[in-house]
Amino acid sequence: QVQLREYGGGSVQSGGSLRLSCRVYRDIGGMNCLAWFRRAPGKEREGVASIATFGEETVYADSVKGRFTISQNILSNTLHLQMNTLEPEDTGMYYCALRTGGTQCRPDASTYDHWGQGTQVTVSS
């Protein structure tokens, strides 16, 4: 089992920004997928964004396009999510996840093998 640990959650007012980070305790170089997911209170888990570790192709949920940016640092085995213009609807527990192998990376939870414990993001109006 690969350990992942998220950092950077917190509380912010609507329109503010937060940057989430996820430390992956293994080498993420090669053909893997990394992604962010979130679960709002009373709602299903939602894929937010994904990135291919090889080639860095990114995919975003429509709800966050233009506001969130996913990125990675291969040297430090770290995944990031820059979240701008936050809205109350962005409130939830945010999880990072790793899928080992593959190049067709999408934020589809069923395809990911390893998960972090989550970090809470709260956006107030």
Side-chain angles (χ1 to χ4, degrees), residues 2 4 22-34 51-54 71-79 98-99:
V2 179
L4 296 88
C22 172
R23 176 76 164 87
V24 183
Y25 289 88
R26 63 157 272 176
D27 182 2
I28 63 173
M31 304 174 104
N32 299 296
C33 300
L34 290 165
I51 186 167
T53 59
F54 182 82
S71 63
Q72 62 186 352
N73 185 320
I74 297 295
L75 294 179
S76 63
N77 298 318
T78 307
L79 177 70
L98 167 69
R99 169 187 157 190

Side-chain angles (χ1 to χ4, degrees), residues 8 18 57:
L18 281 174
E57 177 186 2

Side-chain angles (χ1 to χ4, degrees), residues 5-9 19-23 33-39 45-51 59-61 64 68-72 78-83 93-98 106-109 112 115-116 118-119 121:
R5 182 168 297 173
E6 301 93 343
Y7 300 92
R19 180 177 173 86
L20 304 183
S21 296
C22 172
R23 176 76 164 87
C33 300
L34 290 165
W36 288 98
F37 297 85
R38 67 186 181 187
R39 187 191 298 272
R45 181 171 51 190
E46 174 189 18
V48 175
S50 63
I51 186 167
V59 177
Y60 294 91
V64 306
F68 290 12
T69 302
I70 188 171
S71 63
Q72 62 186 352
T78 307
L79 177 70
H80 302 286
L81 185 69
Q82 178 65 44
M83 306 186 294
M93 187 69 78
Y94 283 69
Y95 302 88
C96 62
L98 167 69
R106 297 289 185 270
D108 176 356
Y112 286 77
W115 293 80
T119 185
V121 171

